[in-house]
Amino acid sequence: MAQAVRRLVAHDGLDAATVAAVAREVGCSVGLVQHYFPSKDALLLFAYERMQADQLDRVARLIAEGEAGRQPIRAILLRCLPELWPLDEDRRGEYRVDRAFHARALDNPTVAEAAGRAAAVVRGELARAVTNGKECGEVEADTDAELAAAELAALVAGLADDLYREPDRPVGGLPLRGAATAILTARLAHYFPGTCRHYR
Amino acid sequence: MAQAVRRLVAHDGLDAATVAAVAREVGCSVGLVQHYFPSKDALLLFAYERMQADQLDRVARLIAEGEAGRQPIRAILLRCLPELWPLDEDRRGEYRVDRAFHARALDNPTVAEAAGRAAAVVRGELARAVTNGKECGEVEADTDAELAAAELAALVAGLADDLYREPDRPVGGLPLRGAATAILTARLAHYFPGTCRHYR
DNA sequence: GGAATAACCGTATGGTCATATGGTTTCGCG
DNA sequence: CGCGAAACCATATGACCATACGGTTATTCC
């Protein structure tokens, strides 16, 4: 059912995710949806949290792979962060779901909390990367990990908005897809210059 | 009526902006709302575009003031960009309206176009600032104006999200309000080092 | 086997909403 | 004055939706 909600919201927006529509998408009755969820709100929240968990799991897996391969921190981040961008149809769908729930979060504290938690996980992971980098001398000692994490997270989130709207708009000669990567690369290189080629 | 829509959306979300609620807020009949707008969609779109115009006017005025006062480009931008942040109750309301319509833009091409136009104005203004800076030697010659504008716009937009959620969360010792300004200041100082103290 | 439990269904209900309709009042102006 | 257009109103209509409810089928477990 969570998958059905996700498909409906991705395709036609939150308003299209009525209980009846979810039942139709699943191929069951309205009653069954009610059997598993006490209310429509609970169903939507569950679907949202599940999607976030899926997303964060993917990122965590990429991090684990990068660490196993003893890649530089910068390379790991450059691999993980664009995972949150709407660069293919699946991720565009996720972006649509995410934005729809972000709007809902404005009026629904429970959804807001879920959205805040996910954002905090991303920031936390970034702060950890910076801290690790400081320990091994890759990152300058006077860099504030939280501040750097907040900047990078904001940059990634902000670029996602533009990427969704016009992924192919030319920006400085490149389509935005490439330009966003270039911007992120430059910013990561600032924090993780890669001078000492330390591994994480 | 546009003001009424804005108040309703800011206070209770897009779904609260029913035609009947707008009429009640204005203090007139449902029929009158219909008299002036062919559909609810048209009403909402008008209200959204009006709010965007108000916002951009404020920014334009700040730019004009800064230019009249012969302030450095960096100072002007540092004054203008936080105007788009939800730092007080009025601007938090604007942020809420903006986010609500952003979600609507996912399913409504007309709203999407309006949102895209406003974003393009901000980026254009930023690109203009960078170009001006290059002409007077303030900005390094190999800086790509569009790329820099895209980065700064994304950073500002991304920080707005966080600022709305937790304006007072401590980030590196400062509350996020201050941290966001610090991040923006640092980033602007990178592009506009202020070495030659040129005016715009 | 049989009873309790979970899975599952179809429909009814009460509410909300956008829009349509058929009006009345106000006002500008020749 | 008078008349046409605008501003303005109250209510009707038809659609849709979340939830409630009373029921049937399948499964599990003693």
Short mmCIF file of all heavy atoms in Angstrom, two decimals, chain B residues 55-81 83-84 121-129 132 200:
data_model
loop_
_atom_site.label_atom_id
_atom_site.label_comp_id
_atom_site.label_asym_id
_atom_site.label_seq_id
_atom_site.Cartn_x
_atom_site.Cartn_y
_atom_site.Cartn_z
N GLN B 55 7.44 40.34 -3.45
CA GLN B 55 8.74 39.92 -2.94
C GLN B 55 9.87 40.48 -3.82
O GLN B 55 10.83 41.06 -3.32
CB GLN B 55 8.79 38.40 -2.96
CG GLN B 55 9.29 37.77 -1.69
CD GLN B 55 9.11 36.27 -1.69
OE1 GLN B 55 8.53 35.67 -2.62
NE2 GLN B 55 9.60 35.62 -0.66
N LEU B 56 9.72 40.29 -5.12
CA LEU B 56 10.78 40.74 -6.03
C LEU B 56 10.89 42.26 -6.04
O LEU B 56 11.98 42.81 -6.21
CB LEU B 56 10.53 40.18 -7.44
CG LEU B 56 10.64 38.65 -7.54
CD1 LEU B 56 10.33 38.16 -8.94
CD2 LEU B 56 12.02 38.17 -7.10
N ASP B 57 9.76 42.93 -5.84
CA ASP B 57 9.81 44.39 -5.76
C ASP B 57 10.64 44.82 -4.56
O ASP B 57 11.45 45.75 -4.66
CB ASP B 57 8.39 44.96 -5.62
CG ASP B 57 7.69 45.05 -6.96
OD1 ASP B 57 8.35 44.76 -7.99
OD2 ASP B 57 6.50 45.40 -6.99
N ARG B 58 10.43 44.16 -3.45
CA ARG B 58 11.20 44.50 -2.25
C ARG B 58 12.69 44.34 -2.52
O ARG B 58 13.51 45.19 -2.15
CB ARG B 58 10.77 43.63 -1.08
CG ARG B 58 9.60 44.21 -0.32
CD ARG B 58 9.16 43.38 0.86
NE ARG B 58 9.87 42.16 1.11
CZ ARG B 58 9.28 40.96 1.23
NH1 ARG B 58 7.98 40.84 1.05
NH2 ARG B 58 9.99 39.91 1.51
N VAL B 59 13.03 43.21 -3.16
CA VAL B 59 14.43 42.97 -3.47
C VAL B 59 14.95 44.05 -4.41
O VAL B 59 16.04 44.61 -4.20
CB VAL B 59 14.62 41.57 -4.08
CG1 VAL B 59 16.04 41.40 -4.58
CG2 VAL B 59 14.28 40.51 -3.05
N ALA B 60 14.17 44.36 -5.43
CA ALA B 60 14.61 45.36 -6.39
C ALA B 60 14.84 46.70 -5.69
O ALA B 60 15.81 47.42 -5.99
CB ALA B 60 13.56 45.51 -7.50
N ARG B 61 13.97 47.02 -4.75
CA ARG B 61 14.12 48.28 -4.03
C ARG B 61 15.42 48.27 -3.22
O ARG B 61 16.17 49.25 -3.20
CB ARG B 61 12.92 48.51 -3.11
CG ARG B 61 12.92 49.90 -2.48
CD ARG B 61 11.53 50.28 -1.99
NE ARG B 61 10.52 50.08 -3.00
CZ ARG B 61 9.45 49.30 -2.88
NH1 ARG B 61 9.25 48.64 -1.76
NH2 ARG B 61 8.60 49.19 -3.87
N LEU B 62 15.70 47.15 -2.58
CA LEU B 62 16.93 47.04 -1.80
C LEU B 62 18.16 47.19 -2.70
O LEU B 62 19.14 47.85 -2.33
CB LEU B 62 16.99 45.70 -1.07
CG LEU B 62 16.06 45.57 0.14
CD1 LEU B 62 16.12 44.17 0.72
CD2 LEU B 62 16.44 46.60 1.20
N ILE B 63 18.08 46.59 -3.89
CA ILE B 63 19.20 46.73 -4.82
C ILE B 63 19.37 48.19 -5.20
O ILE B 63 20.48 48.74 -5.17
CB ILE B 63 18.97 45.88 -6.09
CG1 ILE B 63 19.00 44.38 -5.74
CG2 ILE B 63 20.02 46.19 -7.14
CD1 ILE B 63 18.70 43.46 -6.91
N ALA B 64 18.27 48.82 -5.54
CA ALA B 64 18.34 50.23 -5.95
C ALA B 64 18.92 51.09 -4.84
O ALA B 64 19.79 51.95 -5.08
CB ALA B 64 16.95 50.72 -6.34
N GLU B 65 18.48 50.85 -3.62
CA GLU B 65 19.02 51.61 -2.49
C GLU B 65 20.52 51.40 -2.36
O GLU B 65 21.28 52.35 -2.15
CB GLU B 65 18.35 51.17 -1.18
CG GLU B 65 16.99 51.80 -0.94
CD GLU B 65 16.31 51.20 0.30
OE1 GLU B 65 17.04 50.63 1.14
OE2 GLU B 65 15.09 51.28 0.39
N GLY B 66 20.93 50.13 -2.49
CA GLY B 66 22.35 49.82 -2.36
C GLY B 66 23.17 50.49 -3.43
O GLY B 66 24.26 51.02 -3.18
N GLU B 67 22.62 50.51 -4.65
CA GLU B 67 23.35 51.14 -5.75
C GLU B 67 23.42 52.63 -5.54
O GLU B 67 24.46 53.26 -5.76
CB GLU B 67 22.69 50.80 -7.08
CG GLU B 67 22.92 49.34 -7.48
CD GLU B 67 22.30 49.01 -8.84
OE1 GLU B 67 21.38 49.73 -9.26
OE2 GLU B 67 22.74 48.03 -9.45
N ALA B 68 22.29 53.20 -5.09
CA ALA B 68 22.27 54.65 -4.85
C ALA B 68 23.30 55.02 -3.77
O ALA B 68 23.96 56.05 -3.87
CB ALA B 68 20.88 55.09 -4.42
N GLY B 69 23.43 54.14 -2.76
CA GLY B 69 24.39 54.41 -1.69
C GLY B 69 25.81 54.01 -2.05
O GLY B 69 26.68 54.04 -1.20
N ARG B 70 25.99 53.60 -3.30
CA ARG B 70 27.31 53.19 -3.79
C ARG B 70 27.95 52.14 -2.89
O ARG B 70 29.15 52.20 -2.59
CB ARG B 70 28.25 54.40 -3.93
CG ARG B 70 27.65 55.52 -4.79
CD ARG B 70 28.65 56.66 -5.04
NE ARG B 70 29.77 56.26 -5.88
CZ ARG B 70 29.70 56.07 -7.20
NH1 ARG B 70 28.55 56.22 -7.81
NH2 ARG B 70 30.76 55.73 -7.89
N GLN B 71 27.13 51.19 -2.47
CA GLN B 71 27.68 50.11 -1.64
C GLN B 71 28.36 49.07 -2.50
O GLN B 71 28.03 48.91 -3.68
CB GLN B 71 26.55 49.43 -0.86
CG GLN B 71 25.93 50.32 0.20
CD GLN B 71 24.74 49.66 0.84
OE1 GLN B 71 24.58 48.44 0.77
NE2 GLN B 71 23.88 50.45 1.46
N PRO B 72 29.30 48.32 -1.93
CA PRO B 72 29.94 47.23 -2.66
C PRO B 72 28.91 46.16 -3.02
O PRO B 72 27.93 45.98 -2.30
CB PRO B 72 30.96 46.66 -1.68
CG PRO B 72 31.11 47.68 -0.60
CD PRO B 72 29.86 48.47 -0.58
N ILE B 73 29.16 45.46 -4.11
CA ILE B 73 28.22 44.43 -4.58
C ILE B 73 27.93 43.43 -3.47
O ILE B 73 26.78 43.07 -3.21
CB ILE B 73 28.81 43.67 -5.80
CG1 ILE B 73 29.08 44.66 -6.93
CG2 ILE B 73 27.85 42.60 -6.26
CD1 ILE B 73 29.71 44.03 -8.14
N ARG B 74 28.97 43.01 -2.80
CA ARG B 74 28.81 42.00 -1.77
C ARG B 74 27.83 42.46 -0.69
O ARG B 74 26.97 41.73 -0.24
CB ARG B 74 30.16 41.67 -1.13
CG ARG B 74 30.08 40.52 -0.17
CD ARG B 74 31.45 40.22 0.39
NE ARG B 74 32.18 41.42 0.77
CZ ARG B 74 33.33 41.41 1.44
NH1 ARG B 74 33.88 40.25 1.79
NH2 ARG B 74 33.93 42.51 1.76
N ALA B 75 27.97 43.70 -0.30
CA ALA B 75 27.09 44.23 0.74
C ALA B 75 25.65 44.27 0.26
O ALA B 75 24.70 43.96 1.00
CB ALA B 75 27.55 45.63 1.14
N ILE B 76 25.47 44.64 -1.00
CA ILE B 76 24.12 44.68 -1.55
C ILE B 76 23.50 43.30 -1.53
O ILE B 76 22.37 43.10 -1.07
CB ILE B 76 24.14 45.24 -3.00
CG1 ILE B 76 24.62 46.68 -2.99
CG2 ILE B 76 22.77 45.12 -3.63
CD1 ILE B 76 24.70 47.30 -4.37
N LEU B 77 24.25 42.31 -1.99
CA LEU B 77 23.70 40.95 -2.04
C LEU B 77 23.41 40.43 -0.63
O LEU B 77 22.41 39.76 -0.40
CB LEU B 77 24.69 40.01 -2.75
CG LEU B 77 24.87 40.29 -4.24
CD1 LEU B 77 25.86 39.30 -4.84
CD2 LEU B 77 23.54 40.23 -4.98
N LEU B 78 24.29 40.76 0.28
CA LEU B 78 24.12 40.29 1.65
C LEU B 78 22.90 40.94 2.30
O LEU B 78 22.33 40.41 3.26
CB LEU B 78 25.38 40.61 2.46
CG LEU B 78 25.52 39.89 3.81
CD1 LEU B 78 25.42 38.38 3.62
CD2 LEU B 78 26.86 40.25 4.44
N ARG B 79 22.51 42.03 1.76
CA ARG B 79 21.31 42.69 2.25
C ARG B 79 20.06 42.10 1.58
O ARG B 79 19.02 41.89 2.21
CB ARG B 79 21.41 44.19 1.95
CG ARG B 79 20.25 45.01 2.38
CD ARG B 79 20.28 45.20 3.89
NE ARG B 79 18.93 45.26 4.43
CZ ARG B 79 18.12 46.29 4.31
NH1 ARG B 79 18.54 47.37 3.69
NH2 ARG B 79 16.91 46.27 4.80
N CYS B 80 20.18 41.81 0.27
CA CYS B 80 19.01 41.36 -0.51
C CYS B 80 18.63 39.92 -0.26
O CYS B 80 17.45 39.60 -0.07
CB CYS B 80 19.30 41.49 -2.00
SG CYS B 80 19.45 43.15 -2.56
N LEU B 81 19.61 39.05 -0.30
CA LEU B 81 19.29 37.63 -0.32
C LEU B 81 18.55 37.16 0.94
O LEU B 81 17.59 36.39 0.83
CB LEU B 81 20.56 36.80 -0.56
CG LEU B 81 21.13 37.01 -1.97
CD1 LEU B 81 22.47 36.30 -2.14
CD2 LEU B 81 20.15 36.54 -3.04
N GLU B 83 16.46 38.62 2.44
CA GLU B 83 15.06 39.06 2.30
C GLU B 83 14.18 37.87 1.89
O GLU B 83 12.97 37.86 2.14
CB GLU B 83 14.99 40.16 1.24
CG GLU B 83 13.65 40.81 1.07
CD GLU B 83 13.28 41.69 2.25
OE1 GLU B 83 14.18 42.19 2.94
OE2 GLU B 83 12.06 41.85 2.50
N LEU B 84 14.81 36.87 1.28
CA LEU B 84 14.04 35.70 0.83
C LEU B 84 13.98 34.62 1.91
O LEU B 84 13.43 33.56 1.70
CB LEU B 84 14.69 35.13 -0.44
CG LEU B 84 14.85 36.13 -1.59
CD1 LEU B 84 15.66 35.52 -2.72
CD2 LEU B 84 13.47 36.58 -2.09
N VAL B 121 14.40 35.08 -12.20
CA VAL B 121 14.69 36.49 -11.92
C VAL B 121 15.82 36.59 -10.89
O VAL B 121 16.77 37.35 -11.05
CB VAL B 121 13.43 37.22 -11.40
CG1 VAL B 121 13.80 38.60 -10.86
CG2 VAL B 121 12.40 37.34 -12.52
N VAL B 122 15.71 35.79 -9.83
CA VAL B 122 16.74 35.82 -8.79
C VAL B 122 18.09 35.42 -9.38
O VAL B 122 19.11 36.10 -9.17
CB VAL B 122 16.37 34.88 -7.63
CG1 VAL B 122 17.52 34.77 -6.64
CG2 VAL B 122 15.11 35.38 -6.93
N ARG B 123 18.08 34.32 -10.13
CA ARG B 123 19.35 33.88 -10.73
C ARG B 123 19.91 34.94 -11.67
O ARG B 123 21.12 35.21 -11.70
CB ARG B 123 19.15 32.58 -11.51
CG ARG B 123 19.12 31.35 -10.65
CD ARG B 123 19.36 30.11 -11.52
NE ARG B 123 18.58 30.16 -12.74
CZ ARG B 123 17.37 29.67 -12.86
NH1 ARG B 123 16.79 29.08 -11.85
NH2 ARG B 123 16.72 29.77 -14.01
N GLY B 124 19.01 35.56 -12.43
CA GLY B 124 19.45 36.59 -13.37
C GLY B 124 20.09 37.76 -12.66
O GLY B 124 21.14 38.27 -13.08
N GLU B 125 19.48 38.15 -11.56
CA GLU B 125 20.02 39.27 -10.79
C GLU B 125 21.41 38.93 -10.25
O GLU B 125 22.33 39.75 -10.29
CB GLU B 125 19.05 39.60 -9.65
CG GLU B 125 19.02 41.04 -9.23
CD GLU B 125 18.64 41.97 -10.38
OE1 GLU B 125 17.64 41.70 -11.08
OE2 GLU B 125 19.38 42.94 -10.57
N LEU B 126 21.53 37.69 -9.77
CA LEU B 126 22.82 37.26 -9.25
C LEU B 126 23.88 37.22 -10.35
O LEU B 126 25.03 37.64 -10.17
CB LEU B 126 22.69 35.88 -8.59
CG LEU B 126 22.06 35.88 -7.20
CD1 LEU B 126 21.65 34.48 -6.77
CD2 LEU B 126 23.03 36.48 -6.19
N ALA B 127 23.47 36.71 -11.50
CA ALA B 127 24.42 36.63 -12.62
C ALA B 127 24.86 38.03 -13.02
O ALA B 127 26.04 38.27 -13.33
CB ALA B 127 23.77 35.90 -13.80
N ARG B 128 23.90 38.96 -12.98
CA ARG B 128 24.23 40.34 -13.31
C ARG B 128 25.26 40.90 -12.32
O ARG B 128 26.22 41.57 -12.70
CB ARG B 128 22.97 41.21 -13.27
CG ARG B 128 23.18 42.63 -13.78
CD ARG B 128 21.85 43.34 -13.99
NE ARG B 128 21.23 43.77 -12.75
CZ ARG B 128 21.40 44.99 -12.21
NH1 ARG B 128 22.20 45.86 -12.81
NH2 ARG B 128 20.78 45.31 -11.11
N ALA B 129 25.06 40.58 -11.05
CA ALA B 129 26.01 41.07 -10.03
C ALA B 129 27.41 40.54 -10.32
O ALA B 129 28.40 41.28 -10.24
CB ALA B 129 25.54 40.64 -8.65
N ASN B 132 28.85 42.28 -13.41
CA ASN B 132 29.31 43.61 -13.04
C ASN B 132 30.64 43.56 -12.29
O ASN B 132 31.54 44.35 -12.53
CB ASN B 132 28.27 44.31 -12.16
CG ASN B 132 27.05 44.73 -12.95
OD1 ASN B 132 27.04 44.65 -14.17
ND2 ASN B 132 26.01 45.17 -12.26
N ARG B 200 29.28 49.17 -7.31
CA ARG B 200 28.54 48.64 -8.44
C ARG B 200 28.10 49.79 -9.32
O ARG B 200 27.45 50.68 -8.84
CB ARG B 200 27.30 47.93 -7.89
CG ARG B 200 26.49 47.28 -8.95
CD ARG B 200 25.46 46.46 -8.25
NE ARG B 200 24.83 45.56 -9.17
CZ ARG B 200 24.00 44.62 -8.77
NH1 ARG B 200 23.77 44.45 -7.50
NH2 ARG B 200 23.43 43.84 -9.64
#
